[in-house]
Amino acid sequence: MSLAPDPTNPPGTSRSTSATIQPNILRCLVTVADERGIDLRPLLKQVGLDETVMRSAALRVSYRQGSAVIRRALELTRDERLGLRVGAAQHLTAWGLLGFALMADDTLRHAIETGVKYQNLSGAMVVWSAATSEAEGEAFVLRADLPDPAMDPAVASFLSEEAFASVVTLSRLAVDPAFAPRAVEFSFPPPHRLDLYDALFRCPVRFGAPTNRMLIDATWARTRMPGRDPVAYASTLEMLDAQMASRRDQQDLLEVLEISVAQNLPVIPSFAEQARRHATSERTLRRRLADCGTTYEALVEGVRRERVEQLLLRPELTLRDIARRAGFSDERALRRAVRRWHGTSPVHLREQMRRDRS
């Protein structure tokens, strides 16, 4: 789960280019696809995530990488409800220390609140919030907002489904197999088939709602966790706090570098210059980026890619204009980059983006 986009960030960059998300969803997606005879590994390799990298506990991916893999997986499987299947296939062990903390927590409600507090460490790709609602008869309401409301609708539906399917599945594993929410609401339109929703959630499911949310009755929210252990819980939180502090430092570093690159385009600051700005050595800065699971070259690539996509939406700009503003030497370099990113030409990508926005 990720922090919401920061509205104070200057235009021209966003957290979508930073590799800060644990790839739990992608790892589970690969397993689900394997069971259906579809190998996603070549696709992962295309976005820089080969098998060796995917096995790394330190791996972090960006929203851009995650969204690209999910979008293509939906096309390959032709399964509109793939998010439900991926969410239902998860286990708390995939969340590492956070999963252990949830099992050692006091009640289901408090475990969910702990998950929300440390959501940056869980690997999901929505922004979670939770609160008791008097308007809903003291129900405990869990809400999942999308990090970017303008994201691809198919990816948005996948992430919303995966989010709530994983919560229900993990609650049944950790608390009681009989667990069921009072209701689940999705912001996307109703699908053609509802049987998978009924079978998984075992409660009313509504579509076209203002937000994505799950209502949990107060009785279930107060249910004690079978594995509760105050001592284990407290000691685990100390380690989670340390991880959160480290993650904030990493995110701050990535965002500052992204902003620096975006503000200086078409000129790209050298790595040596960035090291001087951070009052550190190139070796130390390179190591810090490695700890974030990325490199300066990959970060620059992400910012330039985002800039190109923004500029392609402006019909008054020629490809030569776009190449110059994004820091490419000429149109040929721009074409090669777009082909590498999207598998198509800038002209076709521009047409596709215009169609998607119309």
Side-chain angles (χ1 to χ4, degrees):
M1 304 171 188
S2 174
L3 289 172
D6 186 348
T8 64
N9 274 359
T13 187
S14 78
R15 289 176 179 173
S16 67
T17 63
S18 296
T20 58
I21 307 165
Q22 289 183 325
N24 297 340
I25 292 177
L26 298 189
R27 289 187 177 117
C28 190
L29 179 59
V30 169
T31 301
V32 171
D34 277 344
E35 293 171 352
R36 308 186 67 175
I38 296 174
D39 186 4
L40 296 182
R41 291 168 185 82
L43 173 60
L44 290 168
K45 193 170 183 179
Q46 287 178 14
V47 297
L49 301 172
D50 60 30
E51 270 197 280
T52 302
V53 171
M54 286 292 287
R55 292 195 196 103
S56 170
L59 174 64
R60 299 293 181 267
V61 299
S62 67
Y63 275 111
R64 188 181 299 284
Q65 287 174 309
S67 297
V69 172
I70 291 168
R71 186 181 302 107
R72 185 59 180 147
L74 288 166
E75 295 170 355
L76 291 172
T77 62
R78 299 181 181 179
D79 185 351
E80 295 181 347
R81 306 282 69 85
L82 188 61
L84 291 179
R85 303 185 200 282
V86 171
Q90 294 185 38
H91 197 281
L92 278 167
T93 52
W95 292 15
L97 278 176
L98 179 56
F100 182 78
L102 301 186
M103 289 187 287
D105 213 328
D106 186 39
T107 63
L108 177 59
R109 170 182 171 160
H110 201 270
I112 291 174
E113 290 174 337
T114 298
V116 169
K117 178 180 179 180
Y118 295 98
Q119 59 183 279
N120 270 12
L121 303 177
S122 71
M125 295 172 65
V126 297
V127 182
W128 291 103
S129 58
T132 298
S133 172
E134 294 182 4
E136 299 291 351
E138 299 301 317
F140 187 58
V141 180
L142 182 61
R143 176 169 162 168
D145 291 309
L146 298 170
D148 181 359
M151 71 167 47
D152 182 292
V155 176
S157 297
F158 174 98
L159 294 178
S160 303
E161 291 177 342
E162 184 278 332
F164 288 139
S166 63
V167 169
V168 168
T169 299
L170 299 178
S171 295
R172 288 172 182 159
L173 289 171
V175 181
D176 191 324
F179 170 79
R182 179 195 296 180
V184 175
E185 298 176 351
F186 291 108
S187 60
F188 54 83
H192 297 298
R193 292 180 54 191
L194 299 177
D195 53 324
L196 287 177
Y197 296 89
D198 295 335
L200 176 62
F201 294 115
R202 305 175 200 164
C203 70
V205 180
R206 308 181 187 108
F207 300 90
T211 59
N212 300 304
R213 63 178 195 160
M214 175 185 293
L215 280 65
I216 301 173
D217 280 329
T219 301
W220 276 117
R222 291 192 297 266
T223 300
R224 302 293 292 275
M225 301 294 288
R228 61 188 180 278
D229 186 321
V231 175
Y233 176 74
S235 61
T236 306
L237 287 196
E238 291 181 4
M239 292 184 278
L240 291 175
D241 286 334
Q243 287 187 9
M244 284 283 285
S246 174
R247 181 69 58 84
R248 280 192 293 270
D249 289 342
Q250 291 177 356
Q251 287 179 332
D252 288 345
L253 173 65
L254 293 173
E255 289 172 19
V256 167
L257 289 173
E258 283 184 346
I259 291 168
S260 173
V261 172
Q263 289 179 335
N264 281 277
L265 282 176
V267 177
I268 298 172
S270 69
F271 188 71
E273 184 178 350
Q274 296 286 21
R276 285 195 299 272
R277 290 179 182 179
H278 284 78
T280 188
S281 68
E282 293 182 45
R283 180 178 180 180
T284 298
L285 183 56
R286 190 172 290 110
R287 176 183 56 75
R288 291 183 64 193
L289 285 171
D291 290 341
C292 298
T294 191
T295 64
Y296 184 59
E297 291 75 19
L299 184 145
V300 169
E301 179 102 335
V303 174
R304 294 173 83 187
R305 174 174 174 167
E306 187 170 36
R307 178 63 58 86
V308 167
E309 291 168 359
Q310 291 171 342
L311 295 174
L312 283 171
L313 291 172
R314 297 175 55 179
E316 77 277 11
L317 297 179
T318 67
L319 293 185
R320 179 179 296 178
D321 294 331
I322 294 172
R324 177 173 50 80
R325 295 189 184 198
F328 291 98
S329 58
D330 53 33
E331 290 181 50
R332 287 178 298 178
L334 172 65
R335 290 192 186 96
R336 288 195 297 270
V338 172
R339 178 73 62 178
R340 184 172 66 252
W341 298 331
H342 294 280
T344 189
S345 70
V347 172
H348 288 158
L349 178 62
R350 171 178 260 174
E351 293 173 352
Q352 178 185 334
M353 293 170 69
R354 287 176 180 172
R355 287 196 302 269
D356 291 344
R357 294 212 166 198
S358 62

Short mmCIF file of all heavy atoms in Angstrom, two decimals, residues 323-354:
data_model
loop_
_atom_site.label_atom_id
_atom_site.label_comp_id
_atom_site.label_asym_id
_atom_site.label_seq_id
_atom_site.Cartn_x
_atom_site.Cartn_y
_atom_site.Cartn_z
N ALA A 323 10.77 15.78 -28.36
CA ALA A 323 12.12 15.23 -28.16
C ALA A 323 13.01 16.25 -27.48
O ALA A 323 13.75 15.94 -26.54
CB ALA A 323 12.71 14.80 -29.51
N ARG A 324 12.95 17.50 -27.95
CA ARG A 324 13.80 18.55 -27.38
C ARG A 324 13.44 18.82 -25.92
O ARG A 324 14.32 18.92 -25.07
CB ARG A 324 13.66 19.83 -28.21
CG ARG A 324 14.44 21.01 -27.68
CD ARG A 324 14.37 22.19 -28.65
NE ARG A 324 13.02 22.48 -29.06
CZ ARG A 324 12.15 23.18 -28.33
NH1 ARG A 324 12.50 23.64 -27.13
NH2 ARG A 324 10.92 23.42 -28.78
N ARG A 325 12.14 18.93 -25.63
CA ARG A 325 11.72 19.26 -24.26
C ARG A 325 11.98 18.12 -23.27
O ARG A 325 12.10 18.37 -22.06
CB ARG A 325 10.24 19.62 -24.26
CG ARG A 325 9.92 20.88 -25.05
CD ARG A 325 8.49 21.31 -24.82
NE ARG A 325 8.15 22.46 -25.65
CZ ARG A 325 7.11 23.25 -25.43
NH1 ARG A 325 6.30 23.02 -24.39
NH2 ARG A 325 6.85 24.27 -26.23
N ALA A 326 12.01 16.90 -23.76
CA ALA A 326 12.26 15.75 -22.87
C ALA A 326 13.73 15.38 -22.79
O ALA A 326 14.08 14.40 -22.12
CB ALA A 326 11.43 14.55 -23.32
N GLY A 327 14.59 16.15 -23.46
CA GLY A 327 16.02 15.91 -23.33
C GLY A 327 16.60 14.88 -24.26
O GLY A 327 17.68 14.34 -23.98
N PHE A 328 15.90 14.56 -25.39
CA PHE A 328 16.44 13.61 -26.36
C PHE A 328 17.22 14.36 -27.43
O PHE A 328 16.91 15.51 -27.75
CB PHE A 328 15.32 12.79 -27.00
CG PHE A 328 14.67 11.83 -26.06
CD1 PHE A 328 13.48 12.15 -25.41
CD2 PHE A 328 15.25 10.60 -25.80
CE1 PHE A 328 12.89 11.27 -24.53
CE2 PHE A 328 14.67 9.70 -24.93
CZ PHE A 328 13.49 10.04 -24.28
N SER A 329 18.19 13.69 -28.02
CA SER A 329 19.04 14.34 -29.02
C SER A 329 18.30 14.65 -30.30
O SER A 329 18.57 15.66 -30.95
CB SER A 329 20.26 13.46 -29.32
OG SER A 329 19.84 12.18 -29.78
N ASP A 330 17.35 13.78 -30.66
CA ASP A 330 16.57 14.01 -31.88
C ASP A 330 15.33 13.12 -31.85
O ASP A 330 15.10 12.38 -30.88
CB ASP A 330 17.41 13.73 -33.14
CG ASP A 330 18.06 12.34 -33.11
OD1 ASP A 330 17.45 11.40 -32.54
OD2 ASP A 330 19.17 12.20 -33.64
N GLU A 331 14.54 13.19 -32.94
CA GLU A 331 13.30 12.42 -33.00
C GLU A 331 13.57 10.92 -33.00
O GLU A 331 12.78 10.14 -32.44
CB GLU A 331 12.51 12.78 -34.26
CG GLU A 331 11.92 14.19 -34.24
CD GLU A 331 11.14 14.47 -35.50
OE1 GLU A 331 10.29 13.64 -35.88
OE2 GLU A 331 11.38 15.53 -36.13
N ARG A 332 14.66 10.49 -33.62
CA ARG A 332 14.96 9.06 -33.65
C ARG A 332 15.19 8.51 -32.25
O ARG A 332 14.73 7.41 -31.92
CB ARG A 332 16.19 8.80 -34.53
CG ARG A 332 15.92 8.95 -36.02
CD ARG A 332 17.16 8.72 -36.83
NE ARG A 332 18.18 9.72 -36.51
CZ ARG A 332 19.40 9.75 -37.05
NH1 ARG A 332 19.76 8.81 -37.91
NH2 ARG A 332 20.26 10.70 -36.72
N ALA A 333 15.88 9.26 -31.42
CA ALA A 333 16.09 8.82 -30.03
C ALA A 333 14.77 8.74 -29.29
O ALA A 333 14.54 7.83 -28.48
CB ALA A 333 17.05 9.77 -29.33
N LEU A 334 13.87 9.71 -29.56
CA LEU A 334 12.55 9.67 -28.94
C LEU A 334 11.78 8.44 -29.39
O LEU A 334 11.16 7.76 -28.56
CB LEU A 334 11.78 10.94 -29.32
CG LEU A 334 10.31 10.98 -28.91
CD1 LEU A 334 10.16 10.97 -27.39
CD2 LEU A 334 9.61 12.20 -29.51
N ARG A 335 11.82 8.14 -30.69
CA ARG A 335 11.08 6.97 -31.20
C ARG A 335 11.60 5.68 -30.57
O ARG A 335 10.81 4.80 -30.20
CB ARG A 335 11.21 6.90 -32.72
CG ARG A 335 10.46 7.99 -33.47
CD ARG A 335 10.39 7.66 -34.96
NE ARG A 335 9.79 8.77 -35.69
CZ ARG A 335 10.50 9.71 -36.32
NH1 ARG A 335 11.83 9.68 -36.27
NH2 ARG A 335 9.89 10.68 -36.97
N ARG A 336 12.91 5.57 -30.45
CA ARG A 336 13.48 4.36 -29.83
C ARG A 336 13.02 4.22 -28.38
O ARG A 336 12.70 3.11 -27.93
CB ARG A 336 15.01 4.39 -29.91
CG ARG A 336 15.57 4.17 -31.30
CD ARG A 336 17.07 3.86 -31.25
NE ARG A 336 17.84 4.97 -30.70
CZ ARG A 336 18.36 5.95 -31.43
NH1 ARG A 336 18.18 5.97 -32.75
NH2 ARG A 336 19.07 6.91 -30.85
N ALA A 337 13.00 5.33 -27.66
CA ALA A 337 12.60 5.27 -26.25
C ALA A 337 11.14 4.88 -26.13
O ALA A 337 10.78 4.02 -25.29
CB ALA A 337 12.84 6.63 -25.59
N VAL A 338 10.26 5.50 -26.93
CA VAL A 338 8.83 5.17 -26.86
C VAL A 338 8.58 3.71 -27.26
O VAL A 338 7.76 3.02 -26.66
CB VAL A 338 8.01 6.13 -27.74
CG1 VAL A 338 6.55 5.68 -27.83
CG2 VAL A 338 8.08 7.55 -27.18
N ARG A 339 9.32 3.24 -28.26
CA ARG A 339 9.19 1.84 -28.66
C ARG A 339 9.60 0.92 -27.52
O ARG A 339 8.96 -0.11 -27.27
CB ARG A 339 10.07 1.59 -29.89
CG ARG A 339 10.08 0.16 -30.40
CD ARG A 339 8.80 -0.21 -31.10
NE ARG A 339 8.55 0.61 -32.28
CZ ARG A 339 7.51 0.44 -33.08
NH1 ARG A 339 6.62 -0.52 -32.80
NH2 ARG A 339 7.32 1.22 -34.13
N ARG A 340 10.65 1.29 -26.80
CA ARG A 340 11.11 0.49 -25.66
C ARG A 340 10.09 0.50 -24.53
O ARG A 340 9.84 -0.52 -23.89
CB ARG A 340 12.45 1.04 -25.16
CG ARG A 340 13.09 0.25 -24.05
CD ARG A 340 14.50 0.72 -23.74
NE ARG A 340 14.54 2.08 -23.20
CZ ARG A 340 14.98 3.13 -23.87
NH1 ARG A 340 15.41 3.01 -25.12
NH2 ARG A 340 15.00 4.33 -23.30
N TRP A 341 9.47 1.64 -24.28
CA TRP A 341 8.52 1.77 -23.18
C TRP A 341 7.16 1.13 -23.50
O TRP A 341 6.56 0.50 -22.65
CB TRP A 341 8.28 3.24 -22.85
CG TRP A 341 9.48 3.98 -22.39
CD1 TRP A 341 10.56 3.47 -21.71
CD2 TRP A 341 9.75 5.38 -22.56
NE1 TRP A 341 11.48 4.46 -21.45
CE2 TRP A 341 11.01 5.65 -21.95
CE3 TRP A 341 9.05 6.44 -23.13
CZ2 TRP A 341 11.56 6.92 -21.93
CZ3 TRP A 341 9.61 7.71 -23.11
CH2 TRP A 341 10.85 7.95 -22.52
N HIS A 342 6.67 1.37 -24.72
CA HIS A 342 5.29 1.02 -25.04
C HIS A 342 5.14 0.02 -26.18
O HIS A 342 4.02 -0.41 -26.45
CB HIS A 342 4.50 2.28 -25.40
CG HIS A 342 4.32 3.23 -24.25
ND1 HIS A 342 3.36 3.04 -23.28
CD2 HIS A 342 4.99 4.37 -23.90
CE1 HIS A 342 3.42 4.04 -22.40
NE2 HIS A 342 4.40 4.84 -22.75
N GLY A 343 6.22 -0.31 -26.85
CA GLY A 343 6.12 -1.25 -27.95
C GLY A 343 5.44 -0.68 -29.18
O GLY A 343 4.92 -1.44 -30.01
N THR A 344 5.41 0.62 -29.32
CA THR A 344 4.76 1.26 -30.46
C THR A 344 5.46 2.58 -30.75
O THR A 344 6.39 2.97 -30.05
CB THR A 344 3.26 1.48 -30.18
OG1 THR A 344 2.62 1.91 -31.39
CG2 THR A 344 3.05 2.52 -29.09
N SER A 345 5.00 3.29 -31.78
CA SER A 345 5.61 4.56 -32.16
C SER A 345 4.98 5.71 -31.39
O SER A 345 3.86 5.59 -30.88
CB SER A 345 5.42 4.80 -33.66
OG SER A 345 4.05 5.05 -33.95
N PRO A 346 5.66 6.86 -31.31
CA PRO A 346 5.06 8.02 -30.65
C PRO A 346 3.74 8.45 -31.29
O PRO A 346 2.82 8.86 -30.58
CB PRO A 346 6.14 9.11 -30.80
CG PRO A 346 7.41 8.37 -30.98
CD PRO A 346 7.06 7.12 -31.74
N VAL A 347 3.64 8.35 -32.62
CA VAL A 347 2.40 8.74 -33.31
C VAL A 347 1.25 7.86 -32.88
O VAL A 347 0.15 8.33 -32.54
CB VAL A 347 2.59 8.69 -34.84
CG1 VAL A 347 1.26 8.91 -35.55
CG2 VAL A 347 3.61 9.73 -35.28
N HIS A 348 1.47 6.54 -32.88
CA HIS A 348 0.40 5.62 -32.48
C HIS A 348 0.07 5.77 -31.01
O HIS A 348 -1.10 5.68 -30.61
CB HIS A 348 0.82 4.18 -32.79
CG HIS A 348 0.83 3.86 -34.25
ND1 HIS A 348 1.56 2.83 -34.79
CD2 HIS A 348 0.20 4.45 -35.29
CE1 HIS A 348 1.39 2.79 -36.10
NE2 HIS A 348 0.57 3.77 -36.43
N LEU A 349 1.09 6.00 -30.18
CA LEU A 349 0.83 6.19 -28.75
C LEU A 349 0.00 7.44 -28.53
O LEU A 349 -0.94 7.44 -27.72
CB LEU A 349 2.15 6.28 -27.99
CG LEU A 349 2.02 6.53 -26.48
CD1 LEU A 349 1.27 5.39 -25.79
CD2 LEU A 349 3.41 6.72 -25.84
N ARG A 350 0.32 8.51 -29.25
CA ARG A 350 -0.45 9.76 -29.12
C ARG A 350 -1.91 9.52 -29.50
O ARG A 350 -2.82 9.98 -28.80
CB ARG A 350 0.18 10.83 -29.99
CG ARG A 350 -0.63 12.09 -30.12
CD ARG A 350 0.11 13.12 -30.97
NE ARG A 350 0.76 14.12 -30.12
CZ ARG A 350 1.56 15.06 -30.57
NH1 ARG A 350 1.84 15.11 -31.87
NH2 ARG A 350 2.09 15.96 -29.74
N GLU A 351 -2.15 8.81 -30.59
CA GLU A 351 -3.53 8.52 -31.02
C GLU A 351 -4.26 7.69 -29.97
O GLU A 351 -5.43 7.95 -29.66
CB GLU A 351 -3.51 7.79 -32.36
CG GLU A 351 -3.00 8.64 -33.52
CD GLU A 351 -2.84 7.84 -34.79
OE1 GLU A 351 -2.97 6.60 -34.73
OE2 GLU A 351 -2.55 8.44 -35.85
N GLN A 352 -3.57 6.70 -29.42
CA GLN A 352 -4.19 5.85 -28.40
C GLN A 352 -4.53 6.65 -27.15
O GLN A 352 -5.62 6.49 -26.58
CB GLN A 352 -3.24 4.71 -28.04
CG GLN A 352 -3.77 3.78 -26.95
CD GLN A 352 -2.74 2.75 -26.55
OE1 GLN A 352 -1.86 2.38 -27.33
NE2 GLN A 352 -2.85 2.27 -25.31
N MET A 353 -3.62 7.52 -26.72
CA MET A 353 -3.86 8.32 -25.52
C MET A 353 -5.02 9.29 -25.74
O MET A 353 -5.83 9.50 -24.83
CB MET A 353 -2.58 9.08 -25.14
CG MET A 353 -1.45 8.19 -24.68
SD MET A 353 0.12 9.06 -24.52
CE MET A 353 -0.21 10.11 -23.11
N ARG A 354 -5.13 9.83 -26.94
CA ARG A 354 -6.26 10.72 -27.22
C ARG A 354 -7.57 9.96 -27.19
O ARG A 354 -8.59 10.45 -26.67
CB ARG A 354 -6.05 11.39 -28.58
CG ARG A 354 -4.98 12.46 -28.59
CD ARG A 354 -4.78 13.01 -30.00
NE ARG A 354 -3.74 14.02 -30.04
CZ ARG A 354 -3.27 14.54 -31.15
NH1 ARG A 354 -3.72 14.12 -32.33
NH2 ARG A 354 -2.33 15.47 -31.11
#
